[in-house]
Amino acid sequence: MESYREQLIDGELVRGHGPEFESINPYTEKPWAVFTEADEGDVDRAVTAAERAFESWRKTSGVERARLMNALADVIERDIDRLAQIETNDNGKLIKENRNQILFAARNFRFYAGYIDKIAGEVKTMDAYTSFDFTVREPIGVCALITAWNSPLQLLSNKLPPALAAGNTAVIKPSEFTSASTLELASLAIEVGFPPGVINVITGFGSTGALLTSHPGVGKISFTGGIETAKRIAAAAAANIVPCSLELGGKSANIIFEDAPYEKAIAGAIGGVFAAAGQSCVAGSRLLVQASIYERVVEDIAQWASRIKLGDPTDAETQMGPIAFRGHYERVLAHIADALEDGSRLVAGGHPAALGGLFIEPTVFADVDNSSRLAQNEVFGPILAIIPFDDEAEAIAIANDSRFGLAGGVWSKDVTRALSVAKEIRSGIIWVNTYRTSAAQAPSGGFKQSGYGRERGTEALLDYTVVKSTLVDLTDTVRDPFVLGR
Ligand code: NAD
């Protein structure tokens, strides 16, 4: 059993003062690593260290901050195989997927390192140059960064690099299911020389997260996870009047028109929902298909789904690993039972896989009513709901009939059709003739109950800043002190 009992607080790896807890490898279903919960004192020490470090980090030159961030990216890339294996031990996702996501994390560090010297304010002249205003984007302070279990380092890399680039310090609380890779990142941060307190990592459950989000020293909260937790976090942010960004779930519509690039669209639909065993916030879990090609698509998707190779996530041939933990496995099976009860037509899968363990067959339901539970609730598992539509207007109406608004896809060779439909979809990310691709420069985030705030791109960087307006008067005029100067 690996020991990850130490947390990073104020530049040192120190043992948490709460009870120990284990991470279970979802493929072997055996514990593989042990951690400690941070107690109230640990959380307080981490936030206090981050507050102290903020005073020097915000004044550290951009060149030095960028150097450290690039150095961290270098060692992430150097250790890619080890880090990918650790994430696979924790969440059971394919090692090749985790590898790619962690390389993307390194890319995010480099992207924001390169942005530090491009953070600019504006000059607003007033009264013919005799007075003017200039704005600067200042860092906020200590950022509480809380992540989910499905993509630990990638999710963290949407938060930590823009926070550091803007001059903030951080206290990170990874998911209790996947703490190991974030603790490894903490050790790498020490190795490359980040000053004590700039990056802190505490581990534990929701109770530890709640201690962090309610700490008065926290200046901003960034959260990735589920809606119910988000409501608690938004309430904690409101109690201390701190900004908060919420990256939540989805029930994204992937729309295939009759003039789609067919083979590409089918592959995109399969990857959209079965990659990472569907444990992806942007999963294209509703597949909307135009009536004229509906039966053909249903048949092709069902056949492909039943051919997906399940197995050891470290095997290069495996296409789908297990569900990340038993509680979630039970939830995914309950969604299948709901869909059957609601009368959806099962065309592939529908059962625990013959392989046993935490494997579930890639499952496809056709003729799904968009008001049914399967179409309205996020499953976060390998379950696809296929829904027919007649024309653009109906596709848009079905896609938007959801409390979520995270992502979506449109497949059509007609660029006018594709873009006009994309424009009408109420979600933060839309892919046209592709699905589940991302870039450091492309912002992502939700509409509606998929959350607010943006990650990646310039937008995320600005979310970690606060604007200061400095008004300067160059004249010798003595103003009437009792009226507002304009
Ligand atoms: P979760 O809400 O159960 O937990 C997320 C994190 O919040 C964990 O670290 C957890 O310990 C912590 N937490 C729990 N209660 C807390 C509290 N009261 N105060 C502070 N922190 C608390 O979510 P999960 O099961 O880990 O993740 C799955 C969800 O995340 C899905 O809905 C998925 O769609 C979403 N997700 C969204 C994105 C995105 O970018 N939009 C990405 C990945 C996952």
Side-chain angles (χ1 to χ4, degrees):
M1 181 103 83
E2 296 291 326
S3 170
Y4 283 99
R5 293 183 174 87
E6 295 181 325
Q7 317 183 0
L8 178 63
I9 299 178
D10 206 8
E12 284 179 24
L13 290 169
V14 291
R15 209 177 162 121
H17 291 81
E20 292 187 352
F21 62 100
E22 291 174 339
S23 172
I24 314 276
N25 177 327
Y27 179 60
T28 63
E29 287 197 84
K30 295 202 167 58
W32 78 278
V34 60
F35 306 83
T36 51
E37 275 182 59
D39 70 2
E40 195 168 355
D42 297 323
V43 174
D44 184 56
R45 274 185 288 282
V47 176
T48 305
E51 282 182 284
R52 204 169 39 239
F54 176 65
E55 290 312 317
S56 50
W57 182 249
R58 71 188 175 91
K59 293 177 193 152
T60 302
S61 75
V63 172
E64 174 62 4
R65 279 187 281 135
R67 186 189 69 75
L68 287 167
M69 289 173 64
N70 280 318
L72 190 50
D74 289 344
V75 291
I76 291 171
E77 286 169 355
R78 180 197 67 194
D79 290 358
I80 182 67
D81 293 331
R82 195 171 61 83
L83 294 169
Q85 178 67 60
I86 286 167
E87 290 208 342
T88 296
N89 291 348
D90 258 346
N91 67 14
K93 285 196 348 180
L94 301 189
I95 198 161
K96 61 186 175 192
E97 162 87 346
N98 283 334
R99 213 174 177 282
N100 250 9
Q101 290 200 330
I102 298 168
L103 288 174
F104 186 81
R107 158 80 181 128
N108 275 341
F109 276 98
R110 293 193 197 289
F111 176 77
Y112 287 106
Y115 227 125
I116 294 179
D117 53 9
K118 295 160 197 79
I119 303 174
E122 289 178 354
V123 177
K124 296 153 198 276
T125 51
M126 294 140 62
D127 287 344
Y129 299 106
T130 57
S131 61
F132 65 95
D133 169 54
F134 67 91
T135 60
V136 285
R137 290 199 166 263
E138 298 201 347
I140 300 170
V142 178
C143 299
L145 310 179
I146 298 180
T147 50
W149 48 263
N150 61 322
S151 309
L153 284 184
Q154 192 200 333
L155 296 179
L156 180 60
S157 79
N158 293 334
K159 304 180 189 302
L160 183 60
L164 296 174
N168 302 281
T169 55
V171 180
I172 302 159
K173 211 293 285 169
S175 165
E176 55 273 32
F177 295 104
T178 54
S179 305
S181 60
T182 305
L183 289 169
E184 291 285 347
L185 184 91
S187 297
L188 296 178
I190 296 179
E191 179 188 330
V192 301
F194 268 89
V198 172
I199 300 174
N200 303 272
V201 178
I202 53 170
T203 52
F205 293 76
S207 49
T208 301
L211 289 170
L212 175 59
T213 53
S214 59
H215 195 290
V218 166
K220 173 179 165 84
I221 302 169
S222 177
F223 168 75
T224 300
I227 285 185
E228 293 313 313
T229 312
K231 290 178 185 169
R232 287 186 208 110
I233 287 184
N240 286 338
I241 322 274
V242 298
C244 159
S245 53
L246 303 174
E247 294 291 325
L248 313 178
K251 192 75 203 180
S252 300
N254 204 357
I255 306 172
I256 304 187
F257 283 98
E258 59 194 0
D259 57 0
Y262 190 81
E263 302 301 330
K264 197 180 172 197
I266 297 295
I270 291 285
V273 71
F274 296 122
Q279 301 166 122
S280 164
C281 54
V282 294
S285 50
R286 288 185 297 156
L287 187 67
L288 277 47
V289 183
Q290 195 155 26
S292 52
I293 56 166
Y294 183 75
E295 285 306 332
R296 181 180 168 210
V297 170
V298 168
E299 197 171 307
D300 287 348
I301 293 277
Q303 274 186 19
W304 192 332
S306 47
R307 287 198 313 268
I308 289 174
K309 193 170 179 309
L310 275 55
D312 182 345
T314 62
D315 184 336
E317 299 299 308
T318 301
Q319 295 173 317
M320 223 179 79
I323 299 299
F325 54 96
R326 183 151 290 275
H328 188 48
Y329 168 87
E330 305 290 351
R331 279 200 299 256
V332 174
L333 290 178
H335 284 288
I336 295 177
D338 287 349
L340 289 169
E341 201 178 283
D342 290 349
S344 297
R345 175 161 64 105
L346 181 67
V347 293
H351 309 97
L355 212 57
L358 299 183
F359 286 90
I360 293 180
E361 290 174 344
T363 296
V364 182
F365 285 97
D367 309 345
V368 176
D369 182 335
N370 195 57
S371 63
S372 70
R373 287 175 287 180
L374 181 64
Q376 291 295 323
N377 295 328
E378 182 185 43
V379 174
F380 218 57
I383 318 294
L384 180 64
I386 311 188
I387 303 171
F389 70 85
D390 284 323
D391 55 18
E392 282 95 332
E394 194 185 7
I396 293 164
I398 297 172
N400 286 339
D401 179 14
S402 170
R403 70 180 192 281
F404 296 106
L406 187 59
V410 183
W411 301 85
S412 167
K413 286 184 195 155
D414 176 344
V415 70
T416 307
R417 167 185 259 177
L419 293 185
S420 52
V421 171
K423 180 174 160 292
E424 292 303 316
I425 306 294
R426 303 274 302 149
S427 71
I429 311 161
I430 287 282
W431 285 285
V432 174
N433 294 334
T434 182
Y435 204 88
R436 210 169 166 269
T437 54
S438 52
Q441 60 272 37
S444 85
F447 281 29
K448 302 193 271 185
Q449 290 193 21
S450 291
Y452 48 77
R454 285 295 176 269
E455 303 215 302
R456 304 202 280 269
T458 316
E459 289 77 0
L461 186 68
L462 300 184
D463 266 5
Y464 286 94
T465 66
V466 60
V467 176
K468 179 184 282 176
S469 206
T470 306
L471 291 95
V472 182
D473 182 353
L474 297 174
T475 69
D476 297 327
T477 312
V478 178
R479 287 202 304 105
D480 178 347
F482 302 105
V483 294
L484 177 74
R486 298 188 275 122

